[in-house]
Amino acid sequence: PVPPPPAPPQNGQDPEAWEPFESRASFDFAQYHFVELQSSQRNIDTALDIWAASVCEFGRRAPWKNAKQLYADIDRIRHGDAPWKTYSLRYTGPLLPGTPPKWMTQTYELCTRDVRRLLHHQLGTSTFKDHVDFVPYRQFNHSGNRVWSNLMSGDWAWSQADTITQDPNTHGCAFVPVVSGSDKTTVSVATGHQEYHPVYVSPGVLTGPAHRAHGNGHCGQEPWAWIHGV
């Protein structure tokens, strides 16, 4: 016999809706201190001590003992089906004589996720449905002069489309270039002014305004990797 379906959550609330947080209250606490206030580790520890003291008389506890446990839960957050993975990197070649440069002796942490799946998400969202050029084009102004605006208006995209048409197996396919870039940013909240090097990616078929878009949970440029020293 087929077992009955699980009972619906009480009050329509899925108990795993706030995973990895215990409850709505713990999620709001993390959101408020980590995102909105950008509280220091010391201030978070103090707030958690107050929380613990206010509920201990009822036999309850705060969801975290300290800020480090809170940070660990934040690191466990998964967005969609492209979770972050972390790798440790270190130079293992011969060292220069004397005092070698820092990069030769430091361990680096590389965080990355499936960039192909991320691109699929960007192309699949309705946010950009009116801002996609799946076909290369050439644009001219009223004087008949060539105008370059989006990536797909360039000669390179045009020539690449010609190339894929030479293979019968790619007939009906669209040329989708990938644009990626990196910069450096310094994060000071609870990290000791560490330098991070995030890497962003975007489908080249998006228009310029879409590349710069933010909002509704979708961005024209999504982070898919970053590296920093540990």
Side-chain angles (χ1 to χ4, degrees), residues 40-41 71 102 185-196 228-229:
S40 67
Q41 181 173 334
Y71 297 152
K102 185 178 180 180
T185 184
T186 300
V187 181
S188 60
V189 178
T191 62
H193 297 278
Q194 290 191 20
E195 290 184 352
Y196 285 76
H228 68 94

Side-chain angles (χ1 to χ4, degrees), residues 103-121:
W103 63 266
M104 283 189 166
T105 59
Q106 187 173 10
T107 298
Y108 293 90
E109 193 172 72
L110 172 65
C111 300
T112 184
R113 53 181 173 167
D114 189 334
V115 66
R116 184 170 180 268
R117 189 174 297 276
L118 194 62
L119 289 165
H120 284 182
H121 290 171

Side-chain angles (χ1 to χ4, degrees), residues 8-18 24:
Q10 295 182 356
N11 302 323
Q13 177 62 63
D14 183 352
E16 297 184 357
W18 306 104
R24 167 70 182 270

Side-chain angles (χ1 to χ4, degrees), residues 118-129:
L118 194 62
L119 289 165
H120 284 182
H121 290 171
Q122 290 175 291
L123 291 172
T125 176
S126 60
T127 303
F128 304 130
K129 64 182 180 66

Side-chain angles (χ1 to χ4, degrees), residues 26 34 45 47 49 71 76 88 99 104 109 111 116 126 129 132 142 150-151 177 180 188 193 196 216 218:
S26 58
F34 190 79
D45 285 340
D49 287 343
Y71 297 152
R76 290 172 52 216
S88 293
T99 303
M104 283 189 166
E109 193 172 72
C111 300
R116 184 170 180 268
S126 60
K129 64 182 180 66
V132 178
H142 65 280
N150 303 311
L151 191 152
S180 186
S188 60
H193 297 278
Y196 285 76
N216 297 326
H218 300 287

